[in-house]
Amino acid sequence: MFENLAEKLEGVFKRLKGRGRLDEENIKEALKEIRMALLEADVNFKVVKDFIEEVRSRAVGQEVLESITPGQQIVKIVHDRLVELLGGTSSQLRFGSRFPAPIMLVGLQGCGKTTTAVKLAKVLAKGGKRAGLVSADVYRPAAMEQLRVMAQKIGAPAFNADSSQDPVKICVQAVEEAKRNGYEVLILDTAGRLAIDTQMMEELKQIKNAVNPSEILFVADAMTGQDAVNVAAKFNELLGIDGVIMTKMDGDARGGAALSLKAVMGKPIKYVGIGEKIDALEVFHPERMASRILG
Ligand code: GDP
């Protein structure tokens, strides 16, 4: 996670800190290197441009240049900007006051949605919230079965749905059943396709209208870089989402999707998937991520 970027930035900062006094030329050179490192990490071009401008305007002031440790101060400026880029503070899930609170997971096929649904149920159970699961992916009966099997492994209740049923009906009935059973949360795993299409969006809108979710989370595959950001932005435009779960962060040495997402689409990353195992889902902490990048 972020290994390439971390390594590049480490080199830039080592040189800066080794210099003692800095002038505007040194800063210009360092900013150029930081810009390259961010672009190589696949961060959105416009996001990089704004980031560098912001760091430049904060770094070239007399206060920084005339301080005893200008290199250190610039590291601090970059760190603070990275935290902002990653969303500032961590964003909690909102459950509202209804039982169950429906949480709807949406995203493209293969992004890790089903695995994430089960991981999330486990995280919530650890926090004392019993979460039921249901799959509305009637187009892939194997995906419905996958959810049931995985849920069983962690002891989470998964509602039996029939792939011949209407996906909206499946979700509405699961909400009713979760209510009867006293579950606090119901995680809805919706169908994913290879690309966004109007039929898919229409179905998701109908589910949204029928169950009025307390959260709609877009599940994004970090390995797909800027594509993940673009698709997330499109889902937000067409459906409206509350946040993102970024999966497969463990396999992504660059980190461009995570660094661009908030700035491009304005919605926070709430959780990150960091492995295939069921307990490999963590709350996303911008501060910790930035510290990880800057070592
Ligand atoms: P879906 O089609 O979106 O429901 O995707 P799946 O849940 O079936 O996941 C697709 C693949 O991604 C599976 O092999 C998962 O084990 C894998 N996967 C999901 N999340 C992560 C993650 O955070 N890290 C890694 N390395 N693999 C993941």
Side-chain angles (χ1 to χ4, degrees):
M1 212 188 300
F2 298 116
E3 292 90 342
N4 296 355
L5 180 61
E7 198 185 312
K8 296 246 165 61
L9 293 181
E10 192 189 349
V12 178
F13 293 140
K14 215 180 224 168
R15 284 192 286 285
L16 266 185
K17 286 194 259 180
R19 274 209 171 89
R21 285 199 69 79
L22 292 180
D23 57 27
E24 289 201 19
E25 196 51 41
N26 304 140
I27 292 180
K28 202 170 151 194
E29 208 177 291
L31 286 173
K32 214 165 133 186
E33 288 175 332
I34 296 171
R35 181 173 173 277
M36 275 311 293
L38 289 169
L39 288 174
E40 279 170 27
D42 189 33
V43 181
N44 173 286
F45 184 78
K46 167 92 172 40
V47 173
V48 174
K49 191 163 172 274
D50 293 348
F51 182 91
I52 295 295
E53 263 324 302
E54 186 99 8
V55 174
R56 189 197 315 278
S57 72
R58 293 194 206 174
V60 295
Q62 294 303 312
E63 241 171 82
V64 172
L65 291 181
E66 287 170 11
S67 72
I68 317 167
T69 53
Q72 202 70 48
Q73 304 251 6
I74 290 172
V75 177
K76 167 95 173 60
I77 293 169
V78 172
H79 173 273
D80 291 350
R81 276 297 295 141
L82 278 178
V83 174
E84 283 169 34
L85 207 55
L86 291 164
T89 52
S90 57
S91 304
Q92 307 284 329
L93 289 185
R94 288 166 313 163
F95 297 104
S97 52
R98 275 177 307 152
F99 288 128
I103 295 183
M104 187 173 163
L105 299 190
V106 298
L108 297 184
Q109 198 171 305
C111 63
K113 204 159 24 61
T114 304
T115 313
T116 302
V118 182
K119 285 175 171 179
L120 186 59
K122 188 162 186 202
V123 167
L124 295 178
K126 258 192 187 161
K129 284 195 190 303
R130 190 146 166 78
L133 289 149
V134 70
S135 169
D137 192 351
V138 296
Y139 313 97
R140 291 191 308 151
M144 298 178 93
E145 185 55 22
Q146 183 196 353
L147 181 89
R148 270 196 294 270
V149 171
M150 289 175 86
Q152 206 169 28
K153 272 195 191 147
I154 62 155
F159 296 105
N160 266 327
D162 184 335
S163 59
S164 65
Q165 273 181 297
D166 168 51
V168 181
K169 227 179 232 164
I170 290 175
C171 294
V172 171
Q173 282 174 359
V175 169
E176 290 303 318
E177 209 171 321
K179 196 182 284 175
R180 275 197 298 278
N181 289 318
Y183 300 144
E184 287 150 296
V185 180
L186 177 70
I187 300 169
L188 305 162
D189 182 15
T190 61
R193 310 276 164 82
L194 293 175
I196 302 174
D197 60 56
T198 37
Q199 194 201 344
M200 171 202 205
M201 276 302 160
E202 195 43 49
E203 182 180 303
L204 293 177
K205 278 183 204 164
Q206 285 176 14
I207 296 175
K208 177 184 176 182
N209 291 339
V211 305
N212 186 20
S214 41
E215 288 269 342
I216 300 181
L217 300 173
F218 179 79
V219 181
D221 176 349
M223 308 271 288
T224 61
Q226 289 311 304
D227 276 350
V229 178
N230 295 336
V231 176
K234 198 76 193 157
F235 266 74
N236 191 36
E237 182 195 321
L238 298 175
L239 182 71
I241 63 169
D242 301 295
V244 172
I245 299 184
M246 189 71 78
T247 63
K248 309 187 197 177
M249 289 286 283
D250 52 307
D252 176 32
R254 302 196 295 170
L259 282 162
S260 311
L261 199 110
K262 180 76 196 294
V264 170
M265 64 169 303
K267 293 291 155 78
I269 299 173
K270 299 202 172 188
Y271 287 90
V272 280
I274 49 163
E276 288 190 274
K277 294 219 176 90
I278 288 299
D279 51 7
L281 184 77
E282 288 181 354
V283 171
F284 182 65
H285 293 289
E287 173 78 38
R288 279 186 219 162
M289 281 293 166
S291 300
R292 192 172 185 145
I293 296 169
L294 296 183

